[in-house]
Amino acid sequence: MSIRLTKMAENREKLIAAARRAFAEQGYAAASMDTLTAEAGLTRGALYHNFGDKRGLLAAVVDQIDSEMADYAKSVGAKAENAWLGLLAEGAAYIEKALDPEVQRIVLLDGPSVLGDPSQWPSQNKCLQSTRSTIEKLIENGIVKPVDAEAAAMLLNGAALNAALWLASSANPQAMLPKTLEAFNLLASGFLVKG
Amino acid sequence: MSIRLTKMAENREKLIAAARRAFAEQGYAAASMDTLTAEAGLTRGALYHNFGDKRGLLAAVVDQIDSEMADYAKSVGAKAENAWLGLLAEGAAYIEKALDPEVQRIVLLDGPSVLGDPSQWPSQNKCLQSTRSTIEKLIENGIVKPVDAEAAAMLLNGAALNAALWLASSANPQAMLPKTLEAFNLLASGFLVKG
DNA sequence: TCAAGTGACATACATTGCGTATGTGAAAGG
DNA sequence: CCTTTCACATACGCAATGTATGTCACTTGA
């Protein structure tokens, strides 16, 4: 049974990996389950058995990508000198990661349409709560003004993700990145007690 | 010919109106063109003649809703005492308008997935440029710090739209609205020369 | 050890829906 | 008055999803 379990887990991973490619390259709607599963060496039967339906597969893919992003952002934030710089670094990490076309297409464009409001996703919610607790700590320490921490976390996250979308479709993303990060930091400084 | 033109325009409006309802209630993907056009007293023939394809119809619907939002936000902003308060009022107007389920589903969720990055849409671009020029004026007057006006406008818009999505799926949107607006204003004040 | 059951997937089928190709009736134009 | 065009309807083909059914390996209990 343990053997079958790991084999099943392998097939799940193969399907998710194939889906990441297909969804990223063709978009969720245009991706065919037949060709997608064939590339993984399986058929649609495996898909519906493991994920229920096409939506379930997208949910699994989004969760994986989103978790990778959250982990990366958190690790970057932890390296900062203090909590405030950590918050800014997390935002910057999100913007940079979201420049990846795969993230754009799957997490930022198709995800919300198919799965609904991102702030309700398990992965995003985890990230939001992390940011929220950081902000609460900053408020307690008198660094950030007393503000609704949850709303503040959501605003920062939303601005960062939107910035990435905007950046990616700009003429020269790499050139605009510094200016965008500067504007983002300025925006965030609105929460500071002293500018 | 003028008679036919107005009649055609009427049919366009009927199709767009039916599409607004269908897309809002069932979502873009689940909405059937057959039933949608039947509700407008027409067939799919009229649709493909007027809008090219399903995407074209969504583009027309999005443009209409988005223009209504931009007009409203601009009119609200114009009533403010000064340019800075006008900017804040525009953001608040956007958040409030985006609480409408129709706007949520069509403009914020399905729109980006089917039509791509919103900042590239004609309607959104118009609104962004409006915000941008307001920010540029505020920079010239020494009220706002020297920052990339386009990036700043995009960040404010993105934060506002995301806030609306988050608000709508919260337990008690009306109760959270004031706190969210307060946090939004605080965030925006990061651009001010003196807080 | 063997028969029955279960689980993971494959195969076959039915339904739905988009896009296009073709048809039609009415208005415009010469 | 005839013809051409235009706005829309009708008919068709294709593709894709979800489900129902089949199959085979593996486990389980007596």
Side-chain angles (χ1 to χ4, degrees):
Chain A
M1 172 174 165
S2 64
I3 295 174
R4 292 203 65 79
L5 255 181
T6 59
K7 185 172 182 185
M8 190 179 175
E10 278 178 20
N11 282 346
R12 270 185 66 98
E13 282 309 308
K14 278 199 281 188
L15 287 173
I16 291 180
R20 275 180 78 144
R21 273 190 311 233
F23 290 161
E25 289 171 6
Q26 317 169 26
Y28 173 80
S32 162
M33 309 292 269
D34 265 327
T35 63
L36 188 160
T37 51
E39 282 177 7
L42 296 165
T43 68
R44 287 214 325 267
L47 236 171
Y48 287 94
H49 190 72
N50 279 287
F51 301 98
D53 58 356
K54 193 178 183 181
R55 256 187 71 162
L57 179 60
L58 178 64
V61 169
V62 162
D63 191 82
Q64 188 180 81
I65 298 179
D66 221 12
S67 296
E68 289 172 9
M69 282 182 69
D71 289 348
Y72 174 71
K74 212 169 179 179
S75 76
V76 166
K79 289 178 191 161
E81 294 180 20
N82 56 55
W84 173 251
L85 292 180
L87 193 67
L88 295 185
E90 271 188 41
Y94 250 80
I95 292 179
E96 287 161 18
K97 273 283 173 184
L99 283 175
D100 181 355
E102 189 185 40
V103 175
Q104 297 250 337
R105 180 78 250 182
I106 300 179
V107 178
L108 303 184
L109 295 182
D110 288 336
S113 173
V114 179
L115 306 174
D117 176 30
S119 63
Q120 301 300 312
W121 304 347
S123 46
Q124 280 278 336
N125 216 359
K126 195 169 49 182
C127 175
L128 266 181
Q129 295 311 321
S130 163
T131 307
R132 194 182 90 125
S133 67
T134 302
I135 291 178
E136 282 174 345
K137 201 186 306 173
L138 286 166
I139 292 177
E140 286 175 15
N141 293 353
I143 297 172
V144 159
K145 292 176 184 170
V147 63
D148 188 280
E150 203 167 354
M154 173 274 301
L155 284 169
L156 282 181
N157 253 293
L161 292 180
N162 223 290
L165 260 184
W166 176 77
L167 258 179
S169 61
S170 75
N172 192 349
Q174 290 306 324
M176 288 301 294
L177 182 58
K179 286 189 176 185
T180 304
L181 288 178
E182 185 188 336
F184 178 79
N185 289 347
L186 213 56
L187 193 68
S189 74
F191 287 145
L192 279 177
V193 168
K194 52 171 185 176
Chain B
M1 172 175 163
S2 64
I3 295 174
R4 291 206 65 80
L5 255 182
T6 60
K7 185 172 183 185
M8 190 178 177
E10 278 178 21
N11 282 346
R12 269 184 67 99
E13 282 308 309
K14 279 199 281 189
L15 287 174
I16 291 180
R20 276 180 78 145
R21 274 189 313 231
F23 290 162
E25 290 172 5
Q26 318 169 27
Y28 172 80
S32 161
M33 309 294 267
D34 266 326
T35 64
L36 188 159
T37 51
E39 282 177 8
L42 295 165
T43 69
R44 289 215 324 268
L47 237 171
Y48 287 95
H49 190 71
N50 279 286
F51 302 99
D53 58 357
K54 195 178 182 181
R55 256 187 70 159
L57 179 60
L58 177 65
V61 169
V62 161
D63 191 82
Q64 189 180 80
I65 298 179
D66 222 11
S67 295
E68 289 173 9
M69 284 183 67
D71 289 347
Y72 174 72
K74 213 170 179 179
S75 75
V76 166
K79 289 177 190 162
E81 294 179 20
N82 56 55
W84 173 250
L85 292 179
L87 193 67
L88 296 185
E90 271 188 41
Y94 250 80
I95 293 180
E96 286 162 20
K97 273 282 173 186
L99 282 175
D100 181 357
E102 189 185 39
V103 174
Q104 297 249 336
R105 179 80 249 181
I106 300 179
V107 178
L108 303 184
L109 295 181
D110 288 337
S113 172
V114 179
L115 306 174
D117 177 30
S119 62
Q120 301 299 312
W121 304 348
S123 47
Q124 279 278 337
N125 219 359
K126 195 168 49 180
C127 175
L128 266 180
Q129 295 312 319
S130 164
T131 307
R132 194 182 89 126
S133 67
T134 302
I135 292 179
E136 282 173 346
K137 202 187 304 173
L138 287 166
I139 294 176
E140 285 177 14
N141 293 354
I143 298 171
V144 158
K145 291 176 183 170
V147 62
D148 188 281
E150 204 168 353
M154 173 273 302
L155 284 169
L156 283 180
N157 254 295
L161 293 179
N162 224 290
L165 260 184
W166 176 77
L167 260 179
S169 60
S170 75
N172 190 351
Q174 290 305 324
M176 288 300 295
L177 181 56
K179 287 189 176 184
T180 305
L181 288 178
E182 186 189 335
F184 178 79
N185 289 347
L186 213 56
L187 193 69
S189 74
F191 287 145
L192 278 177
V193 168
K194 53 170 184 176

